[in-house]
Amino acid sequence: SDAFTGLTALKNLKISDNLLTTFPCDALQNLPALSKVRAERNSIRRIPSNCKLPPLDSLDLSYNLLESLPCSSPSNCFIGIERTRILNLLNNQLQTLPEAFCSYGVKAMDPIHLALAGNPWRCDETLLPLLPCGQVNSSLRCAMPLN
């Protein structure tokens, strides 16, 4: 977790193609100038629930294996994402998004570029609270339709 200690002026970080399985929140939380993280094409399955990031402008987690996002309440999404203007979650394994993602993430971040395509969305009652969120709603294509 101290891999980037002392790099207080670091603005852009590319940790793509490194076979990471967990997003390295601890290593990034003490980088105050960090504004862009590219972590695409890893094997990231999870983001720790206590993840606290510096306020990022751009976060790319595309082409990973994410099955969920840590967002149990509007005040407990991964901290730091509220300023993010580009959030790329293309081609993961997301089947649903937490209800709090809409109220904390998308509404707080408008206008943003939100990329959600290429995930196997489960279109059931878990996605209903997200329908009013235009950017979420327009990005979803059902892989598993309602019965």
Side-chain angles (χ1 to χ4, degrees):
S1 68
D2 26 316
F4 304 112
T5 300
L7 299 177
T8 57
L10 182 67
K11 291 182 180 181
N12 298 308
L13 179 64
K14 182 179 181 203
I15 51 176
S16 306
D17 301 303
N18 278 295
L19 301 176
L20 299 173
T21 58
T22 302
F23 188 73
C25 295
D26 290 346
L28 306 181
Q29 68 182 357
N30 293 317
L31 299 173
L34 191 63
S35 66
K36 182 177 183 178
V37 174
R38 291 185 55 197
E40 73 270 19
R41 291 183 311 276
N42 280 291
S43 296
I44 298 172
R45 291 186 179 278
R46 66 181 214 80
I47 298 170
S49 59
N50 61 345
C51 189
K52 293 184 175 109
L53 298 172
L56 300 174
D57 292 326
S58 175
L59 177 59
D60 187 346
L61 290 166
S62 61
Y63 297 93
N64 276 288
L65 301 171
L66 284 171
E67 294 177 359
S68 64
L69 297 177
C71 194
S72 58
S73 71
S75 62
N76 193 25
C77 287
F78 46 117
I79 307 302
I81 197 170
E82 65 271 6
R83 196 180 114 199
T84 303
R85 296 291 175 243
I86 299 171
L87 180 58
N88 189 344
L89 297 169
L90 288 171
N91 295 302
N92 277 279
Q93 295 301 310
L94 296 169
Q95 292 183 13
T96 190
L97 289 171
E99 183 176 341
F101 187 81
C102 182
S103 59
Y104 177 75
V106 176
K107 285 182 183 173
M109 295 187 293
D110 274 349
I112 68 161
H113 173 72
L114 178 63
L116 296 171
N119 286 285
W121 299 108
R122 184 180 72 232
C123 294
D124 61 11
E125 69 281 351
T126 60
L127 283 180
L128 290 177
L130 297 169
L131 293 181
C133 301
Q135 291 185 5
V136 170
N137 188 7
S138 65
S139 301
L140 301 179
R141 299 292 176 263
C142 298
M144 292 166 255
L146 291 170
N147 293 332

